[in-house]
Amino acid sequence: MGGVGFQQLFIFVFAFIAYKFQREIRLSAPSDKRSKALQLLYVEYFVLTLITVRIIFRLIEYSQGLDSTIPNHEVYQYIFDSLPMFIALVVFNVFHPGRIMAGKKSNFPSRRERKNFVRRYSNDAISMRPNQDSSTYFPMPEEHAYQAKTEPSIPNYGYVK
């Protein structure tokens, strides 16, 4: 129980820091960038609320022990544990930070850049490199082709440049 409570403490600390950041954004950021950042912050607040619901459920479950009805009925696990985390994953996929924060000065590659990267490497010549157990092969672009290591004491699995 202490670990779950400790986790909730850090969620409160994170939420406090995020709220201070939100206040800074409202005061200093231009309106076009502000709306994107605030949208992502609101999504994070919502997800933190879902995680808090899950943590409260876990605290109640652990405080009642193994003889309570919570561990014996899966419906409680689905509603208060799995469902909030599933909703959080869906929300972060809909409001993905890479889409919201994409831009010319962003470190996130745009969707077009990712598609061009996949097309470029899928059309190139592909060489094969064995994995650690040598039973399957993983394709690699030609520029990172397999290079043999010749020391007999180490298995010859190959190294990437």
Side-chain angles (χ1 to χ4, degrees):
M1 272 183 41
V4 176
F6 199 61
Q7 179 183 9
Q8 186 60 41
L9 172 73
F10 279 103
I11 287 175
F12 285 141
V13 169
F14 177 79
F16 176 73
I17 293 170
Y19 178 72
K20 286 180 71 174
F21 179 66
Q22 176 184 344
R23 287 181 48 197
E24 280 291 318
I25 288 176
R26 284 182 183 248
L27 295 174
S28 62
S31 63
D32 59 333
K33 292 182 181 181
R34 183 180 342 162
S35 64
K36 288 183 178 184
L38 289 177
Q39 180 183 17
L40 191 56
L41 278 172
Y42 295 144
V43 168
E44 287 203 22
Y45 293 151
F46 177 71
V47 169
L48 287 177
T49 304
L50 292 173
I51 293 171
T52 300
V53 166
R54 180 179 184 245
I55 287 174
I56 290 170
F57 166 72
R58 287 291 181 188
L59 287 173
I60 292 170
E61 177 187 18
Y62 294 153
S63 68
Q64 292 181 357
L66 294 175
D67 296 331
S68 72
T69 59
I70 294 176
N72 298 328
H73 293 78
E74 289 183 11
V75 70
Y76 296 125
Q77 301 289 329
Y78 290 134
I79 293 172
F80 296 111
D81 192 8
S82 301
L83 185 62
M85 294 302 98
F86 178 73
I87 293 170
L89 288 173
V90 169
V91 167
F92 266 131
N93 277 305
V94 171
F95 299 99
H96 193 275
R99 277 189 279 189
I100 293 172
M101 298 172 64
K104 292 181 180 179
K105 295 183 179 181
S106 173
N107 288 337
F108 291 108
S110 68
R111 186 176 175 102
R112 182 178 298 153
E113 290 171 335
R114 290 191 311 267
K115 281 186 176 181
N116 288 338
F117 179 81
V118 169
R119 284 186 191 130
R120 186 175 76 219
Y121 283 114
S122 65
N123 294 332
D124 285 351
I126 299 208
S127 63
M128 303 302 273
R129 176 177 66 91
N131 72 352
Q132 295 299 323
D133 66 359
S134 295
S135 62
T136 58
Y137 287 84
F138 296 109
M140 290 182 61
E142 189 64 38
E143 61 204 37
H144 298 291
Y146 169 79
Q147 291 184 354
K149 183 166 176 60
T150 57
E151 294 180 20
S153 62
I154 299 174
N156 190 4
Y157 295 131
Y159 294 90
V160 178
K161 288 182 186 178

